[in-house]
């Protein structure tokens, strides 16, 4: 009270204001703003749940959802400790920061973007409709509402401000009085008599309005219908492949969402089909079209002159996907950008698709790739095949398939398809996973926001590079033959995955690597380890003069100084230092041999090439007619595919020689690998499974240690080795010095073998009773042999 009096006295002493003015100022600054019933007259006055281009968040240079709080009080209100929520059952979801005030008749904007910082909530708004609430610190509801479906760049607000009536506002008014054209509701979507799809005869398409007073307008050029578009009055005849977009209009209501259908007439479908529909202005306008050089571009991506296609512009599209048999797969509204790097200059471009809630669905929910059990995608690419556009149209996808089921490696799924753009045939594209945080999240079941992603020389794509830089700084001067130093690197790097990645890139002779096309990541947490992503292999497998079947890409990957543009010393350092460790080096050498005997075995590679050629062949002529420069780096497409075959056949011999020369080896030995009985199990050599079809002679490097493991199948157990070793251990380390046999024996498991073996005791909550070898108190199970003979429990499952 004394401080208050002194404060007032000083103001009076130093101001010519009247006492009444000072008291009014005092009340305005320190009033809690509550009305007579104790609840302040504050209103959620307006919000935008699908902000695509209507109002930019200048602090982050993006377009996020927002909501506006309006004060109907006569005095300033302090919002300290108040809460905003999008779930009325959870009133304390996001706390408004301290020192937040709202003056009489003013409006305050909060960004609902999930950033959870000052004036940015920890939730986003749903375009499909949800709840909003403003609560006091005591959980008293100050203003709440449940709102209906929202629409892109159309806000929902009270009119007048603080009033009881809500309207859709065609001109959002964040921070100012609500005004402009209003709508009472939204028209329902029109109904098509025939859905988009594949048909063998011309069609008559009828469109009806669900409301008697509604009218329908439509377009066939890809543009969204407006009040100037043709009025639907009679059925539309479709004699050839094309699109129809329609929407419902009614006075006093917002037009309905646009309904898009692509009708494929007499199309001979041999691949899955994708239809992309958008306003032609979005593609071809000199000022704003993303597919043209235009007049509003920027330089980059191998172009010194400004090009529109270099801009990071996203346009709204309608996307339809049809299976190879013509059956519908999925459809949604989404965003689309031009993708790729320097291949943006090609006439046929890569298109990046983004599922976002502001367009409709926030995910593509469909299993696009049969080789991965993933049915949820944030993004996909409709790739133009990169630099292989001039060659085989399959190179990168083929190599990804080679490793997909044989290596622990972060690979991209591949599905060739044909694209129709605004109803026009657009040629063969490859549907691919986009290698970003969402790709890692669904492939590894991790949080996409808790990942470090780097590219090139430790450049940050997401997160931080500090851990990687610390690791590189350590390994640069460390003695890697010291087991402790090697263990330290293994704790930070997934050595198994990195070795697989190195083997694949080197074998494929990817000439744009290791200094380019390199991306690596780790999940957050002390146990997070670095892994590498296999992508953009377009200049591998004989595509480039420096990347032929006889090219020594092992020498490139281990050079101490750059020998050409793509192997600067920083890009080879980690590999070079790891090779100083004998265990890593021996494992790398023999694992490479293992994959040449299996994964890259010419017969297997040729079979995959043949299958892809058979798949693409029926579409090649039409693609070539559409894009005459495509597949032009040879006399025919078949001759360009034959380059892949030539590489597959000749690469093993030359790669073997490069390894012998690099590590000064004495050659190779033939190992006759056998499993007895044939269905009893398999052998794994340096973490490479030797499948049954590889039984027989395989080559490995002479006088280099091999790690061999015997793996019984269900119903069998390991019974011992023969030939190179006669050990009874299922995992052995051997060094082949001559041609030799390596045989694993298995025997059927019978009940009699385990008579007397029982689970005798267990502890499910071990806090301090028994410590394991690593110093942890883990739960444990005790097995007891009550018989009078020894029981071999190898191969049993618990």
């Amino acid at each position: 009270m004394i401080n208050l009096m002194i404060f007032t006295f000083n103001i009076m002493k130093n101001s010519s204001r009247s006492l009444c003015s000072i008291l009014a100022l005092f009340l305005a600054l320190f009033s809690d703003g509550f009305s007579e019933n104790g609840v302040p007259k504050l209103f959620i006055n307006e919000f935008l749940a699908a902000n695509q281009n209507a109002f930019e968040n200048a602090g982050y240079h993006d377009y996020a959802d927002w909501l506006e709080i309006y004060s109907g009080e006569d005095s300033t209100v302090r919002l300290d400790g108040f809460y905003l929520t999008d779930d009325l059952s959870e009133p304390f979801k996001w706390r408004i920061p301290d020192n937040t005030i709202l003056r009489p008749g003013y409006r305050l904007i909060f960004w609902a973007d999930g950033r959870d910082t000052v004036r940015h909530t920890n939730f986003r708004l749903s375009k499909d409709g949800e709840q909003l609430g403003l609560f006091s610190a005591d959980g008293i509801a100050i203003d709440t509402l449940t709102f209906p479906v929202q629409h892109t760049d159309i806000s929902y607000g009270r009119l007048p401000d603080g009033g009881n009536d809500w309207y859709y506002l065609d001109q959002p008014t964040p921070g100012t009085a609500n005004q402009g054209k209003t709508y009472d509701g939204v028209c329902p979507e029109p109904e098509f008599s025939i859905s988009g799809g594949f048909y063998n005869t011309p069609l008559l398409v009828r469109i009806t309005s669900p409301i008697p007073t509604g009218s329908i307008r439509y377009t066939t050029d890809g543009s969204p219908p407006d009040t100037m578009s043709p009025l639907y009055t009679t059925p539309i005849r479709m004699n050839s492949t094309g699109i129809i977009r329609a929407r419902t209009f009614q006075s006093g209501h917002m037009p309905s969402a646009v309904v898009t259908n692509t009708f494929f007439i007499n199309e001979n479908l041999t691949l899955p089909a994708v239809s992309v529909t958008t306003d032609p202005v979005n593609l071809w306008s000199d000022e704003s079209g993303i597919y043209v050089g235009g007049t509003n571009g920027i330089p980059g991506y191998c172009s010194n002159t400004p090009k529109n296609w270099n801009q990071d512009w996203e346009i709204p599209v309608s996307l339809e996907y049809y299976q190879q048999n013509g059956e519908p797969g999925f459809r949604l509204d989404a965003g689309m950008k031009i993708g790729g790097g320097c291949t943006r200059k090609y006439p046929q471009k890569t298109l990046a698709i983004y599922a976002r809630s502001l367009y409709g669905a926030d995910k593509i929910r469909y299993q696009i790739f049969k080789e991965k059990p993933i049915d949820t995608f944030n993004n996909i690419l409709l790739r133009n095949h990169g630099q292989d556009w001039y060659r085989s149209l399959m190179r990168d996808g083929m190599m990804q398939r080679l490793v997909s089921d044989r290596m622990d490696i972060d690979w991209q799924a591949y599905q060739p398809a044909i694209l129709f753009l605004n109803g026009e045939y657009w040629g063969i594209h490859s549907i691919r996973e986009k290698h970003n945080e969402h790709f890692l999240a669904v492939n590894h079941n991790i949080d996409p926001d808790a990942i470090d992603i780097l590219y090139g020389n430790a450049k940050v794509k997401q997160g931080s590079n500090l851990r990687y830089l610390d690791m590189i700084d350590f390994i640069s001067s460390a003695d890697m033959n010291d087991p402790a130093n090697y263990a330290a690197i293994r704790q930070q790097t997934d050595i198994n995955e990195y070795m697989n990645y190195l083997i694949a890139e080197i074998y494929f002779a990817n000439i744009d690597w290791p200094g380019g096309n390199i991306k690596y990541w780790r999940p957050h947490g002390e146990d997070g380890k670095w892994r590498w992503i296999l992508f953009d292999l377009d200049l591998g497998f004989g595509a480039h003069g420096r990347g032929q079947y006889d090219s020594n890409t092992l020498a490139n990957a281990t050079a101490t100084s750059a020998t050409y543009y793509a192997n600067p010393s920083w890009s080879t350092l980690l590999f070079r230092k790891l090779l100083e460790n004998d265990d890593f080096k021996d494992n790398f050498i023999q694992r490479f041999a293992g994959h040449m005997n299996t994964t890259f075995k010419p017969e297997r590679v040729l079979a995959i090439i043949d299958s892809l050629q058979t798949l693409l062949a029926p579409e090649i002529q039409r693609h070539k007619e559409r894009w005459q420069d495509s597949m032009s780096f040879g006399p025919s497409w078949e001759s360009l595919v034959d380059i892949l075959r030539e590489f597959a056949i000749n690469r093993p011999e030359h790669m073997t020689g490069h390894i012998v020369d690099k590590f000064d080896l004495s050659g190779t030995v033939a190992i006759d690998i056998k499993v007895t009985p044939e269905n009893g199990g398999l052998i794994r050599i340096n973490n490479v499974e030797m499948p049954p079809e590889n039984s027989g002679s395989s080559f490995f490097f002479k006088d280099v240690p091999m790690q061999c493991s015997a793996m019984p199948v269900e119903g069998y157990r390991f019974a011992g080795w023969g030939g190179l070793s006669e050990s009874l251990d299922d995992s052995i380390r051997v060094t082949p010095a001559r041609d030799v046999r390596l045989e694993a024996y298995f025997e059927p498991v019978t009940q009699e073998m385990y008579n007397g073996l029982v689970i005798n005791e267990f502890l499910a909550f071990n806090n301090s009773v028994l410590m394991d070898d690593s110093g942890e108190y883990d739960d444990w199970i005790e097995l007891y042999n009550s018989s009078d003979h020894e029981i071999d429990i190898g191969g049993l499952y618990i």
Side-chain angles (χ1 to χ4, degrees):
M1 188 60 152
I2 295 175
N3 290 338
L4 178 60
M5 292 177 66
I6 293 173
F7 172 73
T8 305
F9 173 79
N10 288 336
I11 290 179
M12 293 177 66
K13 181 177 179 180
N14 295 289
S15 173
S16 60
R17 296 177 182 176
S18 67
L19 179 60
C20 291
S21 298
I22 294 171
L23 288 175
L25 175 63
F26 172 81
L27 291 172
L29 289 172
F30 294 97
S31 168
D32 62 8
F34 283 21
S35 57
E36 292 181 359
N37 64 1
V39 179
K41 291 185 288 186
L42 301 177
F43 304 92
I44 299 172
N45 197 53
E46 184 183 6
F47 62 88
L48 183 55
N51 183 16
Q52 182 178 337
N53 291 299
F55 184 47
E56 183 180 8
N57 173 11
Y60 289 93
H61 301 290
D62 63 6
Y63 292 87
D65 302 341
W66 54 266
L67 60 95
E68 174 190 272
I69 305 297
Y70 169 75
S71 174
E73 287 289 338
D74 297 328
S75 55
T76 297
V77 180
R78 299 188 68 91
L79 300 182
D80 302 44
F82 284 25
Y83 290 85
L84 287 169
T85 183
D86 64 345
D87 183 352
L88 299 184
S89 67
E90 190 179 347
F92 303 117
K93 191 164 189 179
W94 185 75
R95 187 180 186 276
I96 296 177
D98 292 341
N99 302 316
T100 303
I101 64 171
L102 186 54
R103 301 186 186 279
Y106 276 63
R107 302 158 184 83
L108 198 58
I109 300 298
F110 293 91
W111 296 94
D113 57 8
R115 288 192 169 99
D116 193 14
T117 184
V118 179
R119 301 271 291 281
H120 293 259
T121 71
N122 62 356
F123 59 83
R124 296 177 174 86
L125 302 183
S126 172
K127 185 180 180 183
D128 295 330
E130 60 175 345
Q131 299 171 324
L132 270 178
L134 174 64
F135 288 83
S136 72
D138 298 327
I140 298 172
I142 298 170
D143 190 25
T144 63
L145 74 148
T146 299
F147 62 83
V149 172
Q150 299 297 298
H151 304 271
T152 301
D153 291 341
I154 302 293
S155 67
Y156 200 53
R158 298 176 185 269
L159 199 67
D161 291 343
N164 294 324
D165 297 326
W166 285 86
Y167 298 93
Y168 292 99
L169 307 176
D170 68 340
Q171 295 295 327
T173 58
T176 61
N178 292 348
Q179 57 188 344
K181 190 172 183 179
T182 62
Y183 301 95
D184 295 325
V186 182
C187 293
E189 296 177 358
E191 298 173 353
F192 281 64
S193 62
I194 304 173
S195 295
F198 286 79
Y199 299 92
N200 296 325
T201 60
L203 303 173
L204 277 178
V205 181
R206 294 174 174 83
I207 312 175
T208 55
S209 169
I211 51 176
T213 56
S215 61
I216 297 171
R217 294 186 180 272
Y218 71 97
T219 62
T220 57
D221 66 348
S223 60
D226 58 25
T227 56
M228 302 302 293
S229 300
L231 181 68
Y232 172 82
T233 56
T234 59
I236 304 170
R237 185 170 184 84
M238 301 296 293
N239 292 318
S240 59
T241 297
I243 51 175
I244 301 176
R245 310 191 81 183
R247 68 197 310 188
T248 309
F249 292 81
Q250 183 184 19
S251 177
H253 287 66
M254 286 182 58
S256 72
V258 177
V259 179
T260 305
N261 279 290
T262 305
F263 299 95
F264 302 91
I265 310 299
N266 292 320
E267 296 284 355
N268 183 21
L269 187 64
T270 60
L271 293 171
V274 179
S275 175
V276 172
T277 304
T278 189
D279 192 329
V281 172
N282 295 331
L283 297 171
W284 314 120
S285 165
D286 281 342
E287 183 177 350
S288 59
I290 67 171
Y291 217 99
V292 296
T295 57
N296 196 20
I298 58 175
Y301 297 110
C302 302
S303 175
N304 294 324
T305 57
K307 302 294 182 184
N308 282 17
W309 58 60
N310 287 335
Q311 296 276 20
D312 188 32
W313 291 340
E314 182 171 318
I315 63 173
V317 300
S318 174
L319 185 73
E320 302 167 65
Y321 177 86
Y322 295 88
Q323 302 173 49
Q324 186 169 340
N325 61 5
E327 291 297 315
F330 65 86
R331 63 173 61 216
L332 77 160
D333 292 331
M336 185 175 80
K337 299 180 181 182
I338 297 297
C342 294
T343 58
R344 293 167 184 247
K345 299 192 302 181
Y346 294 4
Q348 184 189 27
K349 305 184 189 308
T350 292
L351 303 174
I353 304 296
Y354 297 85
R356 305 189 195 278
S357 58
L358 67 89
Y359 299 111
D362 64 344
K363 300 282 193 300
I364 297 172
R365 292 178 171 85
Y366 184 81
Q367 186 177 350
I368 300 173
F369 309 103
K370 62 182 179 181
E371 62 264 43
K372 282 191 177 183
I374 297 172
D375 58 6
T376 302
F377 301 89
N378 286 69
N379 330 101
I380 57 172
L381 291 175
L382 304 175
R383 199 164 183 263
N384 67 349
H385 320 286
Q387 296 189 66
D388 199 43
W389 187 76
Y390 287 107
R391 299 173 175 88
S392 72
L393 303 186
M394 68 168 76
R395 189 172 252 101
D396 181 83
M398 182 274 294
M399 285 181 270
Q400 299 277 355
R401 285 196 175 179
L402 278 178
V403 303
S404 63
D405 60 345
R406 298 299 179 99
M407 288 182 164
D408 172 20
I409 197 169
D410 288 329
W411 58 281
Q412 287 178 279
Y414 162 67
Q415 174 60 63
I418 55 174
L419 174 67
F420 289 82
L421 187 59
N422 277 350
E424 183 180 352
Y425 177 81
W426 217 249
I428 303 171
H429 287 65
S430 58
I431 308 176
R432 309 300 297 273
E433 296 174 283
K434 187 171 174 61
H435 44 84
N436 56 17
E437 71 275 17
H438 302 296
F439 162 80
L440 298 171
V442 297
N443 277 274
H444 292 276
N445 193 27
I446 57 177
D447 182 355
D449 297 321
I451 307 174
D452 295 329
I453 305 177
L454 309 183
Y455 68 99
N457 190 10
K459 296 178 181 178
V460 177
K461 183 72 173 179
Q462 177 178 308
S464 169
N465 62 1
L466 294 181
R467 284 179 177 265
Y468 184 80
L469 292 176
D470 287 345
M471 182 181 73
I472 293 300
D473 184 61
F474 169 79
I475 201 173
S476 297
S477 56
D479 176 6
M480 292 312 298
N481 250 329
D482 184 332
N485 291 340
Y486 184 49
I489 297 300
R490 289 178 64 91
Q491 288 177 350
Q492 302 173 72
T493 299
D494 188 335
I495 291 292
N496 177 68
E497 197 268 350
Y498 181 54
M499 188 177 294
N500 290 337
Y501 170 79
L502 290 168
I503 289 171
E505 291 277 13
I506 292 169
Y507 189 84
F508 293 154
N510 181 12
I511 206 62
D512 256 356
W513 178 89
N517 296 337
I518 177 173
K519 186 177 288 188
Y520 39 109
W521 68 281
R522 64 175 291 276
H524 290 174
E526 292 303 314
D527 296 332
K529 295 184 178 182
W530 294 104
R531 289 176 63 96
W532 279 254
I533 301 174
L534 191 69
F535 72 100
D536 203 350
L537 305 172
D538 304 324
L539 285 186
F541 237 80
H544 190 279
R546 297 185 66 100
Q548 297 298 301
Y549 59 74
D550 58 352
S551 296
N552 193 344
T553 47
L554 176 59
N556 292 342
T558 55
T560 56
S561 59
T563 57
Y564 74 113
Y565 73 90
N567 69 335
S569 59
W570 65 261
S571 68
T572 65
L573 175 64
L574 179 59
F575 184 30
R576 284 188 282 113
K577 291 295 293 184
L578 285 170
L579 285 174
E580 294 177 4
N581 180 272
D582 290 336
D583 286 343
F584 179 91
K585 180 181 67 175
D586 293 343
N587 193 359
F588 174 80
I589 292 170
Q590 295 292 36
R591 186 182 298 192
F592 214 132
H595 281 298
M596 284 192 284
N597 285 299
T598 58
T599 307
F600 308 135
K601 191 173 184 178
E603 293 85 347
R604 178 174 184 267
V605 181
L606 291 173
I608 291 177
I609 294 171
D610 289 346
S611 68
L612 290 176
Q613 183 173 17
T614 300
L615 187 64
L616 296 181
E619 203 63 42
I620 289 298
Q621 181 177 350
R622 191 178 184 189
H623 176 93
K624 182 68 173 178
E625 290 171 354
R626 179 62 186 85
W627 306 107
Q628 295 184 10
D629 287 339
S630 184
M631 301 174 289
S632 60
F633 280 12
S636 67
W637 176 63
E638 289 79 8
S639 69
L640 294 168
V641 175
D642 283 342
I643 293 174
L644 301 176
R645 291 195 177 89
E646 183 182 38
F647 189 98
I649 294 168
N650 294 299
R651 183 61 169 168
E653 176 186 354
H654 292 277
M655 191 70 248
T656 301
H658 300 327
I659 294 172
V660 168
D661 292 343
K662 169 65 181 178
F663 299 107
D664 195 22
L665 305 180
S666 52
T668 63
V669 295
I671 299 182
D672 186 14
I673 298 175
K674 290 186 176 181
V675 170
T676 303
E678 291 182 356
N679 61 345
L682 54 82
I683 295 173
R684 176 181 287 166
I685 298 179
N686 289 88
N687 211 34
V688 180
E689 289 186 6
M690 311 301 290
E693 60 266 24
N694 275 77
S695 294
S697 182
S698 296
F699 78 90
F700 286 87
F701 291 98
K702 186 178 181 181
D703 297 328
V704 178
M706 300 187 334
Q707 190 68 37
C708 306
S709 301
M711 303 173 62
V713 300
E714 185 176 357
Y716 285 83
R717 69 175 186 177
F718 176 66
W721 295 96
L724 182 58
S725 172
E726 295 184 357
S727 172
L728 296 178
D729 293 334
D730 60 2
S731 182
I732 57 174
R733 184 177 175 86
V734 293
T735 302
R738 64 183 186 281
D739 295 350
V740 69
R741 174 177 60 89
L742 177 65
E743 188 167 3
Y745 299 105
F746 300 93
E747 61 184 8
V749 174
T750 63
Q751 179 63 44
E752 291 74 16
M753 293 177 176
Y754 302 106
N755 286 341
L757 184 66
V758 296
I759 298 175
N760 195 53
E761 186 181 359
F762 65 88
L763 183 59
F765 297 97
N766 182 17
N767 290 325
S768 59
V769 173
L770 182 65
M771 182 183 296
D772 66 15
D773 294 339
S774 62
E776 301 290 336
Y777 289 98
D778 290 327
D779 303 340
W780 50 265
I781 299 172
E782 176 187 274
L783 299 181
Y784 173 62
N785 181 4
S786 62
S787 73
D788 59 359
H789 60 275
E790 183 179 276
I791 299 177
D792 180 3
I793 63 172
L796 286 180
Y797 295 89
I798 297 178

